[in-house]
Amino acid sequence: MITASGITKTYKQRGNLLGARAVPALRGVDFAIERGGAVTFIGESGCGKTTLGRIVAGLETYDGGDIVIDGTPMSSLKPRHREPFFRRIQLIHQDPYSALNPTRTIHQTLAAPLALRAKQTGRDKAWMEERARELLALVGIDPGYVLPRYPHQLSGGMRQRVVIARALTVDPEVLVADESVSMIDVSLRLGVLALLKDLRERLNVSVLFITHDIATARYIGGDGELYVIYRGQVVESGPTESVISGPIHPYTQSLLSAIPVLHGVERPGPERVVPTEALNEAHPDTGCLFARRCPFRTDRCEAAAPALVSDGDQRHACYHPQRRDVIPVEAVA
Amino acid sequence: MTVTSPVAPAPISLRRNFWRGVGRVLRRKPSRMVGVAIVVLFVFMGVFGPLLYPNPLPRDDNALYASPSWAHPFGTDFEGTDVLALVVTGTRYVLLAGLATAVITVALGTLIGLLAGFHRGRWDTVLMRLTDLQLTIPGLPLLLVLSTVWKFTSPIEMGVVLGLLGWGGIARAVRSQSLSLRERGFIEAAKGLGLPTRHIVVRELLPSMAPYIAMNMLIAVTGAIYAQVGLFFLGVLPFDANNWGVMLNLSVFGGGALSSTAALPYLLAPLLAILLLTLGIVLVVDAMDEIFNPRLREE
Amino acid sequence: MTRTSAPGVRVKDLTVVYKTPAGELPALGGVSLSLAPGTITGIVGESGSGKSTLALSLLNAVQPPGRIKEGVVEIDGLGDVVKLTGEELRRARGRQVGYVFQAAQNSLNPLKTVGKQLLDLGRSHDFDDLPALLKDARALLGRMGLDGGRVLDSYQHELSGGMRQRVGIMFALVLNAHLVVLDEPTTALDMITQAAILKIVRDVHHERGLTTLIITHDMGVAAEVTDSLAVMYGGRVVEHGPTTEVLGSPRHPYTKGLIRAIPRLSGDIDEARALPGRPPTLGTIPKQGCVFRERCPLRIAVCDTVDPEPITRDARTVACHAVGRLATPVVPKEYV
């Protein structure tokens, strides 16, 4: 069980002589991942979802708030004592091409973390070989084919499976999948998604899924929680299916309205929300962050920021909450 | 899915594959084979050259500055010694000094560059200032001064001094390479898996930089050859060492090779040797990228 | 001479080969495809399907080691593009065929303002009336929701990804080309920006009376804007027809599999199924027989030996032995 509360992160952009400009990437984000559960972050690029994933995987530090892993607050530990905790959370990179060392065979790639594991648990070399094969079989690839090969000899889908197998060498509790299929061929994507879904069930691993593609979130974590992040802040959250079928925040509605309709298979939803302006980081930080782009804004929105409040099983940060039916409807043949 | 395939790939077969790949890469272009042949020839001369001739080399007082002939393909020098024999026996010093230089520049440069690039922060600042310092040392004047007190009779000494004066460039290049590589997914993944820093640097970072380092090393060898031959040519070092630079010096200042034809072969032979060795190295450098990149190696 | 109406495009038996150490390998194996004047056609395919090669062929711009081995690319008002060379070809690009390159966000010169690059473009195409060109560009940018004057004075780094994409589209249209090719116009863009760009593409297409070709790997993008849809696999067009029909009742097993492999927001998510196997690369495209047979659920004996001809029935073209052999009489011609 991992809980994050009030995570903030500010990047310093190199400024002029007068000092650096502070760019807030995360403005106080709370969430929790249960064992075997699924949590999805969606949002536009630059909204902070990738930073959040990297923070959870221990690859980046945070400025405020705290992450509690299995009851231990990370702020209570020295950085080097945090490492074993963060090792239970493994990041699956977006790019399976740079995630594997091109100069090392898959066998070498898997052997290194397995050797570490064998040393910790007092097991021998035979166990390592056995385990490497077991893990590759688990992610659905033929160990005999893959082990002696270099990454460039494998397809994108296979590489991403190897990356997942490598993450599994340390028996993680959470896999953080950051846009993990966006660089894989369309016909192979669902296979990798199905694998992640399968791992949740078979190994009881939780998946933290970071994406801009809400439909894939529905596939992997339909039973989990969805967090919609906008400019470093959660603007809406709730059970994935509820948020998708009844989005409350206008930003969530804009995201869902923007999803292409597969004409012929689907027809457009009855309502559609289009932002009045493009995303602009220079928009004021006071009031609701989405106000300038929101078609439903009032003076109140620009005056003070709305807080995240509960509404049924969903939470939203909006002064004018209203469920709208924006997603495409299945066409009846 | 059931596991059916029988044998795990042993590291030995991997190594054999590597050398087979190297062979394939070299055979891909005839120029590379020529380069390898030239380098092998010089290495052979360096190792066995001095054994092929009596020591000291015989003189023939009747054939001073003799013209090229079957007995003396490049003629003879001012005391009637065969020029070819001089070139061949001189190879060892040149190569040893070059090799020592290369080892020092590459070892120091890579170590400092890696430390600075991988750890960043304070390490980076200190090491890079040190590198800047090294790069601002004027090499030639320093060598000229040094040579007044130090005779460089051993090629290793020569190589060490040249190496200490030349690692800065590699350090900078390696640093920038590791800065960009450390952001790569596989380095991050290795950190996330808790692999020790030593493993990350030696097993993950270094192999990716190998072509780069190898190329720099070969280029350092040619640089070192020019530098030492130059020093001997200028005559700032004692003549007791048998060196191509000494030959150049004697042919120009002693034999008047620039104004008369008699000593011309004496001048041309070492020049040709330097040219050929450089050519060989340049032709081999061309293959480095493909040798260390498994994708280019195998396709 | 510049056409003022939408041209039709006919590609016939186009074969493009790439020279590799293993010999010349076909990236396109005898592709035939027609773009009806005034329509938006989408080409959907995975990496290695040959979709970008096909797009480049429309400009006769296949780069070595690739070359057009045989075939005809006929564009109304231009003739056979394959036969054009040198100066003629250069003029055709931009004037008659506008091209928005893949990753157009990165194809601007970082050292020059957009306006300066526009003037360079105008000069290289011998435009006399450069102020009019700037005016057109400003109008086009304004049309796409940008402040034209400001954008023309900007450098690449001052524009966001979505803005650069729109600048790319402006460059393709500003010389008044009536055939526009967009290669992956929305990759690397966010959903909301993507929706905005697709709307612009559609609106501008109708306003200017264009023939538009969109190359994409994303079925959703194609579905959203196109009138007709061609699906490519292994250097072949395996299916081509009206978009809603191809998506609603796909005939080729690859199209079927691809559509089923897309997670959707509507319907039962658990019905999504992965396609087995993986797409071929240049080196692994089968030399004979159907290119899709390794992954095909309908594979029959003939698939191993004979490459299926595209066959048109009810205004839809499909290249498949298993579905082409149905009772209705067949016309060996493709859908237009």
Side-chain angles (χ1 to χ4, degrees), chain A residues 246-260:
Chain A
I248 298 173
H249 196 284
Y251 177 64
T252 316
Q253 293 161 0
S254 323
L255 274 182
L256 290 166
S257 302
I259 290 169

Side-chain angles (χ1 to χ4, degrees), chain C residues 49-316:
Chain C
S49 64
K51 58 186 193 301
S52 286
T53 304
L54 179 56
L56 288 170
S57 306
L58 291 191
L59 289 171
N60 193 357
V62 178
Q63 296 298 314
R67 69 179 179 93
I68 297 178
K69 193 178 171 197
E70 56 192 343
V72 177
V73 179
E74 233 174 53
I75 299 177
D76 290 342
L78 267 179
D80 186 359
V81 181
V82 176
K83 294 206 176 69
L84 294 184
T85 50
E87 192 60 9
E88 281 177 314
L89 197 58
R90 190 182 70 76
R91 288 175 171 283
R93 296 175 186 163
R95 271 288 175 105
Q96 265 125 337
V97 187
Y99 200 102
V100 183
F101 288 94
Q102 201 168 353
Q105 303 101 293
N106 307 325
S107 61
L108 291 170
N109 183 340
L111 302 177
K112 286 182 176 179
T113 62
V114 174
K116 206 143 182 359
Q117 291 176 60
L118 179 66
L119 291 177
D120 290 347
L121 180 76
R123 277 188 212 108
S124 70
H125 281 273
D126 303 324
F127 255 69
D128 300 324
D129 195 357
L130 291 176
L133 187 70
L134 286 175
K135 205 173 129 235
D136 279 355
R138 264 196 294 273
L140 266 169
L141 290 169
R143 172 67 204 74
M144 294 191 269
L146 298 177
D147 176 352
R150 224 202 80 208
V151 169
L152 290 183
D153 281 337
S154 302
Y155 289 94
Q156 176 200 289
H157 68 269
E158 295 169 315
L159 305 172
S160 71
M163 288 163 103
R164 286 182 213 167
Q165 198 69 41
R166 278 174 263 193
V167 169
I169 296 174
M170 178 276 285
F171 272 110
L173 293 173
V174 74
L175 295 181
N176 221 1
H178 281 266
L179 172 61
V180 175
V181 181
L182 300 126
D183 194 354
E184 299 282 7
T186 61
T187 19
L189 295 182
D190 282 301
M191 282 294 175
I192 293 177
T193 319
Q194 167 172 298
I197 298 280
L198 292 182
K199 186 171 179 329
I200 288 165
V201 167
R202 205 172 32 218
D203 290 352
V204 171
H205 169 87
H206 288 303
E207 276 166 32
R208 300 204 142 208
L210 307 173
T211 301
T212 305
L213 179 66
I214 293 182
I215 316 288
T216 178
H217 68 276
D218 188 337
M219 201 61 111
V221 168
E224 186 74 31
V225 286
T226 61
D227 305 313
S228 89
L229 183 63
V231 180
M232 289 193 71
Y233 189 85
R236 316 279 193 281
V237 173
V238 294
E239 180 156 9
H240 185 199
T243 302
T244 51
E245 286 185 32
V246 171
L247 292 175
S249 57
R251 289 186 182 162
H252 195 281
Y254 174 61
T255 320
K256 270 187 197 155
L258 203 54
I259 293 171
R260 240 157 75 102
I262 302 171
R264 285 185 285 121
L265 287 181
S266 65
D268 184 358
I269 191 77
D270 293 323
E271 274 180 15
R273 286 280 172 280
L275 213 65
R278 52 171 161 159
T281 58
L282 197 57
T284 59
I285 295 176
K287 293 214 166 33
Q288 61 166 6
C290 174
V291 286
F292 184 62
R293 63 173 187 271
E294 295 297 337
R295 305 173 77 183
C296 185
L298 306 178
R299 181 174 179 174
I300 47 180
V302 66
C303 303
D304 291 347
T305 49
V306 183
D307 195 4
E309 284 282 323
I311 286 172
T312 302
R313 275 192 301 124
D314 330 324
R316 288 179 60 184

